[in-house]
Amino acid sequence: TTTRTLLAVDGLVVGYAGAPVLDGLTIEVAAGDVVALLGANGAGKTTLLRAVSGLVPLRGGRVVLDAEDLTGLAVEDRARRGLAQVPEGRSVVAELTVEENLQLGALWRIPGRRARRAAVDELYDELEPLARRRQAYGHQLSGGERQMLALARALVSRPRVLLLDEPSLGLAPRVVAQLLGTLREAARRTGLTVLLAEQNVTSALSIADRGIVLGLGEVVADAPAAQLAADPALRHAYLGF
Ligand code: ATP
């Protein structure tokens, strides 16, 4: 096939105190794929995302982006190479408007006022619901709008890989569908690669190309999203529905 691995974790060993949470985990993500990272509470989804972005140290293994070993690099250096973590919606600045929040996000990454203007305008084209709220203040936004703004701020730097940790947390089902639909559409338009950790299995699989199920720090299933969603035994055993 022509699919190219963009992000790989290879033999990852990560732990806090005591036994490792991830013990030799290996995953490959193809360029342009949206991958749902699933598994019960405590399976290690958050730990995996933090290991990829550099927020937790590795005891063993490697993180590789486009054939470059990132293992020794700090969070900012990984970000510079195109890894972006979407923070929680709470990270939105309440006293600034949507527009100002986005400009602030662009300020660190994009030199030149005109280039920033163009980048933000391009985002508005992709994230229609946000465009309509551009003059609203952070504190006036709903939970879903805040989450979308957090997503937009990560997208403004045009990352190659987007890491999301439960963006649906605390949102109503309709809002989750809109947020994930927007993410899917942004990925399709820009060729973005996405690793999406979600408890909300049905929603995540509905927009993902592929699902990876973690159980106690191991990969217990790795298959096309549609196949995972349609497999009753697997759903029952690992996904709880
Ligand atoms: P959740 O959906 O609850 O976040 P998860 O799949 O993301 O679950 P992790 O948060 O990665 O799982 O947690 C995996 C294991 O690591 C759990 O047993 C958890 O208690 C432990 N753990 C997570 N963070 C820390 C930490 N900072 N210090 C110590 N142990 C931790």
Side-chain angles (χ1 to χ4, degrees), residues 16-237:
Y16 302 94
V21 172
L22 306 176
D23 199 359
L25 191 79
T26 294
I27 285 175
E28 293 191 352
V29 178
D33 260 10
V34 174
V35 175
L37 189 60
L38 309 171
N41 262 317
K45 302 182 295 295
T46 299
T47 299
L48 173 58
L49 292 182
R50 292 170 61 85
V52 170
S53 57
L55 290 165
V56 293
L58 307 187
R59 288 192 201 165
R62 302 188 310 150
V63 175
V64 179
L65 178 69
D66 206 8
E68 184 187 8
D69 191 337
L70 303 186
T71 311
L73 296 185
V75 177
E76 312 80 67
D77 295 319
R78 296 183 197 207
R80 227 167 269 133
R81 283 163 177 76
L83 277 183
Q85 181 123 36
V86 178
E88 281 183 89
R90 273 183 299 171
S91 65
V92 162
V93 183
E95 298 79 14
L96 297 182
T97 63
V98 165
E99 168 71 25
E100 289 164 343
N101 267 282
L102 287 176
Q103 287 289 343
L104 192 62
L107 191 60
W108 309 109
R109 325 247 172 177
I110 305 173
R113 182 200 291 255
R114 291 177 60 170
R116 285 195 289 275
R117 177 74 267 153
V120 170
D121 283 342
E122 212 173 293
L123 267 183
Y124 285 142
D125 287 345
E126 279 165 39
L127 310 182
E128 242 300 295
L130 213 54
R132 280 184 263 120
R133 298 286 277 155
R134 68 177 81 187
Q135 295 310 328
Y137 284 90
H139 65 81
Q140 297 174 313
L141 302 179
S142 68
E145 289 169 338
R146 269 202 294 273
Q147 221 22 289
M148 193 164 292
L149 180 52
L151 171 63
R153 259 195 343 201
L155 288 174
V156 82
S157 63
R158 292 290 167 215
R160 303 166 79 190
V161 178
L162 198 64
L163 308 167
L164 298 99
D165 196 1
E166 304 224 23
S168 78
L169 204 67
L171 302 181
R174 185 181 49 79
V175 181
V176 172
Q178 187 186 36
L179 181 75
L180 295 184
T182 304
L183 174 65
R184 171 79 257 181
E185 183 56 20
R188 191 189 63 74
R189 285 173 67 153
T190 64
L192 179 71
T193 304
V194 177
L195 193 52
L196 166 70
E198 262 298 339
Q199 296 279 0
N200 201 327
V201 174
T202 316
S203 301
L205 287 179
S206 74
I207 63 132
D209 299 299
R210 204 173 125 211
I212 294 176
V213 185
L214 293 188
L216 294 177
E218 290 182 348
V219 174
V220 294
D222 180 348
Q227 190 179 322
L228 277 180
D231 185 333
L234 204 96
R235 278 179 12 204
H236 184 71

